[in-house]
Amino acid sequence: MTRILVTGGAGYVGSHTTLHLLRAGHEVLSYDNYANSSSEVLRRVAELAGRAPEIVEGDVCDRKTLDAVMARFDPEAVIHFAGLKAVGQSVKKPLSYYWNNVTGTQNLLESMQEHGCRRIVFSSSATVYGEARYLPIDEDHPIAPTNPYGRTKAFVEGIIGDWCHAWPEASAVLLRYFNPVGADASGRIGEDPNGTPENLVPYIARVAANRLEKLGVFGDDYDTRDGTGERDYIHVSDLAEAHLSALTYACRSSGCEAINVGTGRGATVFEMLKAFEATIGREIPYEVLPRRSGDVARSLAAVQRAESLLGWRAHHDIADMCASTWHWQSCNPDGYGA
Ligand code: NAD
Ligand code: UD1
C-alpha cells in the first residue's frame, strides 16, 4: 500500500484514477479546489470503491495549505492532475493558465521537496507536440505547442525535468494523454463539462440525449479515410490504469520519462458518430461545417514506450467508449448537478 496525494482528484481523469487507486488498496488524499468539479464526485468514488479517499479542499497555488497536507499525510508519491484545460479559454486568459498550471506545479514541487516526497506522475498532453510532423507521434517528436494551454504543459514538463536533474533521487513520469473519453462502467462517474461541450464525444452524447440539436462536423475535406479529423481516443478507465503503472515505474526508477498514453489506433469523426449510433440504436443528426481553426487532420500515438517501460496497453475499443459514455449520460442527464 502506498500513500498517494492526488491533486485534482475530483476532476474527470482524477476521479477515475482515484477509484482505481482505492480499488488497488492505496491510501489516497484528494486535493482539489473544485474550480471545475464538485465534491459529489468523491462521494460516488467512495461508494464504488467501498472505502473513501481523504479529502482536502485546497488550491495548488496555496503553499500554506499544501505544506500542511504534505506534513500530515506524508505522501510517497503525487499524481498531479490539478490545472485548467480549456484551449480556447487559455487564449483569452493566458495568465490564469500560467498561474494555475505553471506556478501551481512549481509550488507543488517545492512543497514535495521540502517534505522529502520525490515521485510525481504528471498529466501532460499530446497537445505539446503541436502539428504532427510524422505519424504515429513518438515521444521524441519535436515539442511545439500552438496555444497557451499547450505551452503551460510544455513548460511544466521542462520544470519537472530540471527538478529531477537537480535531485537525482527524484523520479517523474510525464504522461502525454491523447484524447480521453468514456466513463466508468458503473455509470456513476463520468465527464461533466460546464456549458456546451467543446470536445467531440461529450457533444455527441448531448445530441443523443436530445439536449443539443445536432452535431457540427468540423470539416469533411481533410486528408483522411472519410475526410473528417482522425484522433487517438483512449478510454478513461485505461488511462486510469496507466497512472497505476506509471506509479509503479516511478517507485523503482529515477529521472524523468515522457510517455504517450493512447491506443495507437485512430477513429475519424464519422467513425465515432457511427459507433455512437450503433450504441444507441438510432441515427444522430449532424451537419458538416467549415474546419475549426487550429485543428489538424490526424493525431495518433506511438505506444511502444508505454508498453516497454510501463507494461501497460489499452484494452477498451471505441464501442466501449461510446457505451460507457452513453450509460453515464443517460443515468445522469444533468451530470453531477442533479
Ligand atoms: P478536470 O478539469 O475535470 O480536472 C481538473 C481538476 O483540477 C478539477 O477537479 C479542478 O477543480 C481541479 N483544479 C483546477 N485548478 C486547480 C488548482 N489551482 N488547485 C487545485 N485544484 C485545481 O480535467 P481532466 O480532464 O480531469 O484533466 C486532468 C488533467 O489532465 C489536467 O491537467 C489536464 O490538463 C490534463 N489533460 C486532460 C485531457 C482531457 O482531454 N481530459 C487531455 C490531456 C491532458
Ligand atoms: C482537444 C484539445 C486538446 C486536448 C484534447 C483532449 C483543442 C484545439 N484541442 O483536442 O488540447 O488535449 O481535446 O481531449 O481543443 N469535432 C467536431 N465537432 C465537434 C467537436 C469536435 O467535428 O463539435 C472534431 C474535431 O474537429 C476533431 C475531433 O472531432 O477532428 C476531436 O475533437 P476534440 O474532441 O475537440 O479533440 P481535439 O481537438 O483532438
Side-chain angles (χ1 to χ4, degrees):
M1 190 181 319
T2 316
R3 282 184 312 283
I4 317 292
L5 173 66
V6 176
T7 74
Y12 171 47
V13 187
S15 58
H16 286 81
T17 304
T18 296
L19 174 60
H20 285 240
L21 288 167
L22 290 169
R23 282 186 174 149
H26 296 288
E27 265 181 63
V28 182
L29 186 147
S30 166
Y31 187 88
D32 199 305
N33 68 357
Y34 307 112
N36 194 36
S37 54
S38 91
S39 55
E40 165 66 9
V41 183
L42 293 168
R43 202 188 60 72
R44 295 192 187 189
V45 166
E47 179 190 286
L48 290 170
R51 45 193 287 263
E54 255 201 72
I55 298 171
V56 173
E57 179 169 354
D59 195 306
V60 285
C61 298
D62 170 4
R63 180 69 193 275
K64 216 171 140 204
T65 310
L66 203 50
D67 279 343
V69 166
M70 286 285 177
R72 182 177 59 77
F73 186 65
D74 189 23
E76 288 153 74
V78 172
I79 307 184
H80 181 34
F81 296 103
L84 304 178
K85 64 164 183 178
V87 174
Q89 194 192 29
S90 80
V91 176
K92 293 187 189 121
K93 295 184 169 178
L95 298 183
S96 167
Y97 275 68
Y98 288 112
W99 175 253
N100 275 281
N101 296 6
V102 182
T103 308
T105 305
Q106 248 179 293
N107 228 12
L108 176 66
L109 294 172
E110 278 176 12
S111 183
M112 286 173 65
Q113 187 156 359
E114 201 169 298
H115 294 88
C117 177
R118 57 188 178 84
R119 303 182 185 102
I120 186 166
V121 175
F122 172 63
S123 298
S124 189
S125 168
T127 200
V128 297
Y129 297 120
E131 182 140 14
R133 301 190 192 173
Y134 55 84
L135 290 168
I137 303 173
D138 60 25
E139 291 84 353
D140 298 324
H141 184 284
I143 300 298
T146 58
N147 54 66
Y149 165 68
R151 276 187 282 279
T152 68
K153 292 293 177 189
F155 286 141
V156 168
E157 286 200 357
I159 292 169
I160 294 177
D162 290 341
W163 180 74
C164 285
H165 184 74
W167 189 14
E169 293 81 34
S171 66
V173 181
L174 315 172
L175 292 180
R176 294 178 180 157
Y177 313 163
F178 277 65
N179 288 60
V181 297
D184 183 63
S186 64
R188 294 288 291 155
I189 59 172
E191 187 172 14
D192 185 19
N194 281 329
T196 305
E198 289 181 11
N199 296 116
L200 179 67
V201 172
Y203 201 103
I204 294 179
R206 295 270 175 103
V207 177
N210 296 318
R211 294 180 63 199
L212 289 168
E213 192 193 336
K214 58 186 163 189
L215 172 72
V217 174
F218 298 143
D220 65 352
D221 56 352
Y222 284 107
D223 184 15
T224 59
R225 292 186 282 284
D226 57 24
T228 64
E230 181 179 0
R231 297 289 183 275
D232 189 331
Y233 296 96
I234 169 87
H235 195 297
V236 68
S237 300
D238 279 329
L239 179 54
E241 281 299 316
H243 288 82
L244 272 72
S245 303
L247 209 54
T248 306
Y249 179 80
C251 287
R252 52 159 213 259
S253 64
S254 58
C256 181
E257 201 72 64
I259 303 179
N260 285 342
V261 188
T263 64
R265 291 179 302 274
T268 67
V269 175
F270 281 152
E271 285 166 354
M272 203 44 122
L273 190 65
K274 292 281 162 251
F276 218 97
E277 288 178 340
T279 295
I280 65 171
R282 56 190 158 82
E283 288 190 1
I284 295 171
Y286 73 89
E287 71 176 321
V288 175
L289 297 176
R291 292 180 178 193
R292 179 171 69 179
S293 122
D295 273 358
V296 297
R298 302 179 70 206
S299 169
L300 275 182
V303 295
Q304 287 76 9
R305 191 178 288 181
E307 290 186 9
S308 63
L309 295 187
L310 305 185
W312 169 92
R313 66 160 65 184
H315 294 289
H316 294 285
D317 60 14
I318 65 168
D320 296 336
M321 298 177 203
C322 294
S324 60
T325 301
W326 183 236
H327 187 39
W328 153 251
Q329 171 76 53
S330 40
C331 293
N332 304 270
D334 300 313
Y336 294 108

